[in-house]
Amino acid sequence: MSDAPSYLTADNRLRSWFLTTDHKRVAILYFATITLFFFVGGAAATVIRLELMTPQGDLVTSDVYNRMFTMHGVVMVWFFLIPSIPATLGNFVVPLMIGARDLAFPRLNLLSWYLFLIGGLTTLYAVFVGGIDTGWTFYTPFSTMYSNSHVVLAVTGVFIAGFSSILTGLNFIVTIHRLRAPGLTWYRLPLFLWSLYATAVILVLATPVLAMTLLLVALDRFAGIGIFDPAKGGDPLLFQHLFWFYSHPAVYIMILPGMGVVSELISCFSRKPIFGYKFVAWSAIAIAVAGFFVWGHHMFVSGQSVFAGLVFSFMSFIVAVPSAIKVFNWTATLHKGWIRFDAPMLYALAFIGLFTTGGLTGLFLACLAYDVYVTDTYFVVAHFHYIMVGGMVTAYFGGLHYWWPKITGRMYPEYWARAAAILIFFGFNMTFFPQFVLGVLGMPRRYHVYLPEFQVWHVMSSFGASILAVAYLLPLLYLGWSLFFGRRAPANPWGATGLEWQTPSPPPTYNFETTPSVTRRPYDYSVSGQAHAQNA
Amino acid sequence: MGRWIPLWLPGETSHARAVDVLLVGLLISTLLVLTLLFYLLLRFAIHYRAGNVAANRDHRIRKSWYLEATWTVATMVAFLVLFVWGARLYLNLYDVPKDALPIYIVAKQWMWQAQHVGGQREINEVHVPVGRTVRLIMSSKDVIHSFFIPAFRVKHDVLPGRAEGIWFEPERAGVFHLFCAEYCGTDHSRMMGRIVVMSQPAFEQWLARQDTDGTLAAQGEKLFRQFGCSGCHTAGAAVRAPLLDGLYGKAVPLADGTMETADERYLRDSILQPRSQIAAGYEPLMPSFAGRISEGELIAIVAYIKSLGATGRQP
Amino acid sequence: MRRTPELAPQFVDLDQQQDAASLGMWTFLATEVLFFGGLITLYCAYRTMHPDAFAAAARHTRIAIGAGNTAIMLTSSFLVAWAVWCLRLNQGRIAALLFWCAAALGVAFLGFKGVEYAIEYRERLVPGFNFVAGGAGAGAQQLFFAFYFVATGLHAIHVAIGVVVLIVVGWRSRARAYSTRYHAPATVAGLYWHFVDVVWVVLFALIYLPGRS
């Protein structure tokens, strides 16, 4: 064990944190900010679920309710889900996994955090001065010509944060291409890096289209240029095409890193190489590519042509295939493994179940005639929450627990962690499964008041949400506790393969004493279950 | 139990029932996959847990190709079946029967206005007859709304500046919910209505009882003169413009060489944006009426033009 | 191997650093393609929907200024390419001169653009401010000009940033900060400027040429 101080203690001045170029510190900065936004978005969700316990609009007015669900969507999508795994776990782990001292462009990394912060504060300010009521999807002409809310401010915040996304993606692409340690060929890369690479490609190609779309909305509203005004020949469908061209790949930005984490967890806690490594690796690329060709499945009833509907439906079924391949391969990895049920593994297993459930309901939506019935209903709401919360947030928590010893140098309390994982699983299902039923019963989404016959399912859902809220607070408490009182972590507490485990917990600022070189295939757990050091 | 905890909304048309059969197919596929997956996860997790030293871990599967190919192909085949099934039903939904009874819908924040061809008007209610195919021609005065009848399993966005259509054929009398399904502002969730399905004789009586300003086509004829359309679009006019008798439903050759069917959308676009599709052999002289004509007037004029059949006035 | 001052700590050697810089710039340019691409897609959609209105609107643009600006852009790009070539031959002072000439041309471009905007403002062609168009498809003509101002405005911002970058790169060339072995910042700046040039050529074709054949 070297005597060098860890990256956490190397310099304690405030400006060494706010002017850092160390990827590990940038990751911590991001972690603090997205946790804040998670709770802001969660607060909005609390108001929503409280209001929906009764059919009447008796807690808040319709205008306030509409601002609540808009804020929930905007904050959760752009200020929590999109950056979460890439900017926290990714920023921390990528150079370590690759055997490098830092990312390719450390100062751009810091800039991306500042852009994220400025964007986030701008949007929070918009919320503070009255919020927006357009839905996170900003459909025109409502957002450009009819809404009486702070659309330009909110849209500006998202626009700025978009550049943060682009810079992160750019950094990852160049890092993974150019900074790999000697011997670390593409097929020796951990699957987390394949997933982050695919994510980075989407970040870099899709986000600019969102930037342009939001810029046009802001100009339309601010200066009245009329680009989406139907009276001047502006096409409301054109906005939807431009918006969803980004926003569909965006959901793959959100889920691919989670899938990458799950690959790491399943392998480590089964002590087996991932089954079908190349298939899992390339399936990430396939999802990224195919994900650009399905956006119209959000518009099957919008008035787009029938031909477009057919093409987008077909492609939507195709893009589900690589996800299915991953699920099968993860399951096959468990076969003849040595399975341990530490908290990260509980999250990984929960991910497989919940993501598959959400993904299968995606087939209902890809199916043209059924989508006509359930689009814009609670069925869609349930579907994407299963994927985003049941999938993505679960994977995030799994990765957080897995790399927590590396990041903080402390072990978290295992039994509290398992209890929280199980409580999250139950709270989650209780919250969102009733929403599938509501959708099939025909209840539309974004409804402040609703018909009394739907109430029983809403009460069930709100009850589940209260359990989920408590369950999400638990990690905040015990992880916080572990920072001060947790057992000190060794370099490799899980006995995992991977270069990040070959350096102390927490790592020194420069990551590695000497640049490691790689000679073995990834996930090289021997038959007896012992990991080999990668650079032995 | 069903009344206290609603579990199912019955479908009221043949399309709705077909959609429900599709749902059953989707549910069965989903449940098969999930059952298999959960079974395997549970079995592997228990049998191969680290504490179970006795489990046989020799002969791990190495060559994964056959397994990968099998489950990939099986997935693709299942998906293809579901795609075709959903697509065929969708194509059926977009194939509007020609002899359907047209009803015009105008959506605005936050109400639905319906106009029957006889000039009868309704707010937040649409009366329709049993056993006849009904066709809705819908447009919005302001933002995007969406016309959703859960019991019929149909939904379509209602757009400003465009006419969109859906159809349905109710099979029994009753009252069914109408919802707005595209967020449209403050009272989006209050933009509800009723679809009132009546027997054919009751429907006829209901139509007769309503106050009207004349049939929709008759109102349209007045507006046709009021807006000066008859100044060009009649035989012998000083300006040469296409004659409109029997135009509705015909194929129209355009100046750019393509053919376009003269449906409601074509007629609306011709009035609002006449330069976008110029009829072959005519000069682009027609002025645009965008901003000068309301949705209600537009519907009436379109109804009037539709009534100019070669065989005399038919709604 | 000896670490020279230009070598950043995360890189093993200068080659890796310059490779990374180059890949980084190409990736950034890919984002710019998608950024302008979204706008151009919007243009193409609207032009397909309203061909006559777009042709009529395009005839109001000042093709003389547009063509002049195109010549300026192409020339400046040539100068930048020449300057990078000079750096490869260790000719820092000549490279500096060329970079500054290119920057000056960039400023001229912006000047002419400003004049053009002033003319359009006088002719009441600015959507959201004073747009008044007569005749056919007035609404869709406004769509054309909305696109025109957004596209050329964004492009002008990119030119302005490029001018600053070229001035800085010229200054560093003169200060002998670059050599045959190491001139990645200049190469990367050159890539950016060429891209800005290409975007202009595309915009020129979409803005000034419709309705004028």
Side-chain angles (χ1 to χ4, degrees):
Chain A
M1 190 73 78
S2 87
D3 296 328
S6 78
Y7 77 97
L8 283 172
T9 53
D11 189 337
N12 282 327
R13 296 169 300 171
L14 209 59
R15 75 161 182 265
S16 74
W17 277 90
F18 287 102
L19 291 178
T20 183
T21 51
D22 180 357
H23 66 100
K24 299 182 288 300
R25 287 193 166 196
V26 174
I28 304 283
L29 291 174
Y30 262 111
F31 177 66
T33 9
I34 65 157
T35 305
L36 170 76
F37 284 118
F38 180 69
F39 284 105
V40 169
T46 307
V47 174
I48 293 171
R49 284 297 353 146
L50 280 175
E51 171 63 85
L52 291 178
M53 290 208 35
T54 59
Q56 307 88 2
D58 42 16
L59 186 69
V60 293
T61 63
S62 288
D63 276 330
V64 170
Y65 181 82
N66 296 339
R67 281 158 173 73
M68 284 295 125
F69 73 69
T70 302
M71 176 173 95
H72 174 72
V74 169
V75 168
M76 285 306 203
V77 167
W78 282 300
F79 298 99
F80 175 67
L81 287 169
I82 297 253
S84 60
I85 291 183
T88 59
L89 300 174
N91 262 333
F92 196 95
V93 167
V94 167
L96 289 169
M97 262 187 179
I98 257 187
R101 289 193 57 159
D102 207 312
L103 291 175
F105 306 118
R107 286 173 299 184
L108 278 190
N109 201 16
L110 182 68
L111 176 63
S112 90
W113 180 72
Y114 275 106
L115 289 174
F116 175 72
L117 186 67
I118 293 170
L121 290 176
T122 308
T123 306
L124 277 185
Y125 178 68
V127 169
F128 186 66
V129 294
I132 46 163
D133 68 346
T134 58
W136 80 277
T137 48
F138 299 115
Y139 272 25
T140 61
F142 182 77
S143 63
T144 48
M145 294 168 61
Y146 291 86
S147 171
N148 285 324
S149 62
H150 300 275
V151 176
V152 175
L153 253 185
V155 150
T156 304
V158 176
F159 180 83
I160 296 172
F163 286 102
S164 162
S165 290
I166 290 173
L167 289 178
T168 300
L170 192 152
N171 231 333
F172 283 179
I173 288 175
V174 178
T175 304
I176 295 175
H177 269 286
R178 292 276 179 260
L179 263 62
R180 280 172 282 131
L184 190 51
T185 59
W186 281 89
Y187 282 144
R188 287 180 179 165
L189 281 177
L191 289 165
F192 186 48
L193 292 174
W194 276 91
S195 288
L196 280 181
Y197 182 79
T199 306
V201 169
I202 308 177
L203 278 168
V204 149
L205 295 181
T207 316
V209 178
L210 175 78
M212 177 54 67
T213 311
L214 294 181
L215 180 66
L216 292 175
V217 166
L219 285 174
D220 219 351
R221 215 173 142 81
F222 183 74
I225 63 176
I227 212 150
F228 293 118
D229 183 355
K232 299 193 168 56
D235 191 351
L237 246 58
L238 192 55
F239 170 82
Q240 292 181 39
H241 281 295
L242 287 171
F243 178 80
W244 287 113
F245 184 83
Y246 160 80
S247 295
H248 189 84
V251 315
Y252 296 116
I253 294 173
M254 298 184 235
I255 200 63
L256 275 169
M259 291 170 153
V261 169
V262 169
S263 292
E264 299 298 317
L265 300 181
I266 295 284
S267 172
C268 170
F269 294 96
S270 313
R271 310 208 68 71
K272 258 190 82 189
I274 282 282
F275 190 87
Y277 170 92
K278 285 189 184 170
F279 281 86
V280 179
W282 283 103
S283 66
I285 306 293
I287 291 173
V289 172
F292 273 97
F293 297 104
V294 301
W295 78 87
H297 66 223
H298 300 270
M299 298 166 61
F300 284 151
V301 296
S302 66
Q304 77 181 354
S305 73
V306 168
F307 176 70
L310 290 170
V311 170
F312 285 120
S313 170
F314 181 74
M315 288 305 300
S316 302
F317 278 102
I318 294 289
V319 81
V321 174
S323 294
I325 291 177
K326 284 188 194 276
V327 171
F328 298 141
N329 278 296
W330 290 324
T331 309
T333 306
L334 297 175
H335 179 64
K336 302 202 174 183
W338 291 84
I339 301 175
R340 288 165 30 203
F341 296 100
D342 299 273
M345 184 56 155
L346 291 182
Y347 282 113
L349 292 172
F351 178 97
I352 297 178
L354 297 175
F355 168 75
T356 307
T357 306
L360 288 169
T361 56
L363 297 180
F364 289 58
L365 295 164
C367 197
L368 284 161
Y370 204 67
D371 183 82
V372 168
Y373 180 48
V374 291
T375 192
D376 283 320
T377 68
Y378 261 82
F379 191 90
V380 178
V381 177
H383 159 75
F384 66 69
H385 280 95
Y386 260 80
I387 310 251
M388 289 303 130
V389 184
M392 171 56 214
V393 178
T394 304
Y396 175 66
F397 274 74
L400 196 59
H401 284 75
Y402 181 59
W403 281 300
W404 188 260
K406 181 59 57 184
I407 296 172
T408 63
R410 304 276 186 163
M411 298 302 293
Y412 57 82
E414 182 61 40
Y415 286 103
W416 276 102
R418 292 188 196 186
I422 293 170
L423 198 63
I424 288 176
F425 184 80
F426 279 108
F428 170 82
N429 277 299
M430 176 131 244
T431 309
F432 291 107
F433 195 84
Q435 296 184 9
F436 281 126
V437 180
L438 280 172
V440 171
L441 287 173
M443 166 150 183
R445 59 184 290 201
R446 298 174 166 170
Y447 264 35
H448 176 217
V449 303
Y450 57 83
L451 295 174
E453 60 237 42
F454 295 127
Q455 183 175 17
V456 61
W457 297 108
H458 274 296
V459 170
M460 225 183 283
S461 176
S462 295
F463 180 62
S466 61
I467 298 178
L468 200 57
V470 169
Y472 278 137
L473 282 173
L474 284 178
L476 190 68
L477 297 173
Y478 67 72
L479 288 177
W481 176 90
S482 79
L483 286 177
F484 303 101
F485 306 110
R487 182 168 60 86
R488 296 246 175 224
N492 194 354
W494 311 115
T497 62
L499 289 177
E500 76 268 28
W501 303 107
Q502 305 306 319
T503 189
S505 302
T509 305
Y510 49 79
N511 293 343
F512 296 98
E513 285 271 3
T514 56
T515 309
S517 73
V518 176
T519 54
R520 294 182 169 275
R521 59 195 174 98
Y523 313 115
D524 192 7
Y525 298 99
S526 73
V527 174
S528 70
Q530 298 304 309
H532 293 271
Q534 281 287 74
N535 53 353
Chain B
M1 174 77 157
R3 202 181 304 219
W4 193 56
I5 302 182
L7 287 168
W8 181 248
L9 179 75
E12 301 289 346
T13 65
S14 68
H15 174 79
R17 278 195 303 282
V19 168
D20 291 343
V21 174
L22 175 58
L23 173 65
V24 170
L26 287 163
L27 279 174
I28 289 177
S29 329
T30 303
L31 284 170
L32 279 175
V33 171
L34 281 181
T35 311
L36 176 65
L37 180 71
F38 289 162
Y39 168 72
L40 286 175
L41 285 177
L42 216 58
R43 169 153 173 82
F44 292 162
I46 295 175
H47 187 66
Y48 294 110
R49 68 191 185 283
N52 186 8
V53 186
N56 182 3
R57 292 181 173 88
D58 299 328
H59 311 301
R60 285 170 167 178
I61 305 172
R62 288 254 173 244
K63 286 211 182 318
S64 58
W65 253 102
Y66 302 123
L67 218 48
E68 301 278 1
T70 307
W71 61 46
T72 305
V73 168
T75 308
M76 280 182 155
V77 168
F79 288 177
L80 198 61
V81 168
L82 293 171
F83 163 69
V84 170
W85 191 350
R88 291 184 68 198
L89 206 47
Y90 182 77
L91 288 171
N92 196 38
L93 187 61
Y94 275 77
D95 186 18
V96 184
K98 291 205 188 348
D99 59 348
L101 175 70
I103 301 179
Y104 295 87
I105 306 283
V106 174
K108 78 187 253 315
Q109 287 173 322
W110 288 279
M111 60 159 83
W112 301 101
Q113 297 167 340
Q115 291 225 50
H116 295 262
V117 288
Q120 298 87 351
R121 286 198 167 90
E122 310 188 65
I123 302 270
N124 290 332
E125 279 195 357
V126 188
H127 284 72
V128 292
V130 173
R132 251 198 95 178
T133 315
V134 173
R135 214 175 118 224
L136 300 181
I137 303 121
M138 314 184 288
S139 56
S140 165
K141 275 190 180 164
D142 40 40
V143 299
I144 302 178
H145 301 271
S146 192
F147 196 90
F148 179 33
I149 310 173
F152 299 173
R153 313 285 191 261
V154 288
K155 179 190 292 117
H156 203 291
D157 282 3
V158 180
L159 304 173
R162 263 167 77 148
E164 297 294 331
I166 59 169
W167 67 270
F168 50 81
E169 186 178 328
E171 286 180 350
R172 71 170 182 92
V175 178
F176 306 107
H177 292 308
L178 161 65
F179 293 131
C180 176
E182 184 60 61
Y183 174 72
C184 54
T186 309
D187 279 336
H188 165 62
S189 49
R190 293 185 177 82
M191 195 167 158
M192 288 191 251
R194 294 149 34 105
I195 308 292
V196 181
V197 184
M198 314 172 99
S199 68
Q200 302 233 21
F203 180 66
E204 301 295 335
Q205 286 172 18
W206 178 87
L207 285 175
R209 276 199 312 265
Q210 306 307 307
D211 279 329
T212 70
D213 295 328
T215 69
L216 211 51
Q219 295 172 39
E221 189 178 4
K222 282 197 215 120
L223 294 167
F224 191 76
R225 282 177 225 297
Q226 186 182 310
F227 277 102
C229 320
S230 50
C232 301
H233 286 283
T234 42
V239 178
R240 193 172 153 266
L243 295 179
L244 306 176
D245 272 42
L247 172 67
Y248 177 68
K250 286 247 178 56
V252 177
L254 297 180
D256 60 5
T258 57
M259 295 289 276
E260 189 68 48
T261 310
D263 55 9
E264 277 98 1
R265 190 180 299 194
Y266 174 79
L267 293 176
R268 282 177 62 95
D269 285 349
S270 302
I271 298 171
L272 296 176
Q273 288 158 44
R275 304 301 171 101
S276 64
Q277 287 176 317
I278 302 175
Y282 292 91
E283 294 293 312
L285 292 174
M286 178 170 164
S288 162
F289 288 84
R292 290 163 51 190
I293 187 169
S294 75
E295 274 302 322
E297 290 166 335
L298 201 51
I299 286 172
I301 291 185
V302 167
Y304 168 65
I305 297 174
K306 280 166 68 173
S307 74
L308 294 175
T311 52
R313 310 208 159 183
Q314 301 283 338
Chain C
M1 66 144 277
R2 196 171 61 85
R3 295 190 74 93
T4 51
E6 308 97 38
L7 183 58
Q10 68 270 21
F11 295 111
V12 160
D13 56 31
L14 219 48
D15 277 336
Q16 189 188 48
Q17 177 167 319
Q18 297 196 90
D19 269 341
S22 197
L23 179 59
M25 179 49 78
W26 278 108
T27 308
F28 174 68
L29 294 181
T31 71
E32 294 274 48
V33 168
L34 269 297
F35 186 63
F36 279 99
L39 191 56
I40 291 174
T41 304
L42 179 116
Y43 169 94
C44 291
Y46 280 153
R47 180 165 163 183
T48 312
M49 289 180 215
H50 310 283
D52 289 334
F54 266 48
R59 280 190 284 269
H60 287 301
T61 59
R62 289 293 202 266
I63 194 167
I65 303 182
N69 265 345
T70 307
I72 290 175
M73 269 274 112
L74 290 171
T75 309
S76 74
S77 240
F78 169 68
L79 292 179
V80 167
W82 190 359
V84 175
W85 177 252
C86 288
L87 283 179
R88 239 177 262 152
L89 298 175
N90 231 343
Q91 300 293 325
R93 295 178 77 103
I94 303 181
L97 191 61
L98 291 170
F99 279 127
W100 286 335
C101 285
L105 284 176
V107 172
F109 176 95
L110 292 173
F112 284 123
K113 201 85 208 104
V115 166
E116 196 180 3
Y117 280 170
I119 295 176
E120 270 137 9
Y121 183 80
R122 234 187 26 236
E123 291 182 349
R124 320 263 289 266
L125 291 171
V126 187
F129 289 92
N130 62 1
F131 190 85
V132 169
Q141 286 200 38
Q142 178 163 344
L143 293 178
F144 174 89
F145 275 99
F147 166 80
Y148 166 77
F149 280 101
V150 174
T152 57
L154 282 172
H155 179 261
I157 293 173
H158 283 78
V159 169
I161 294 173
V163 163
V164 170
V165 168
L166 286 178
I167 292 175
V168 168
V169 166
W171 182 41
R172 304 213 65 218
S173 298
R174 193 153 187 284
R176 307 197 69 82
Y178 305 134
S179 61
T180 308
R181 201 175 47 105
Y182 172 73
H183 53 273
T187 314
V188 145
L191 273 177
Y192 174 78
W193 189 256
H194 296 315
F195 175 76
V196 170
D197 184 14
V198 167
V199 169
W200 174 255
V201 170
V202 172
L203 290 183
F204 175 76
L206 296 179
I207 290 169
Y208 295 92
L209 299 185
R212 281 194 164 115
S213 55

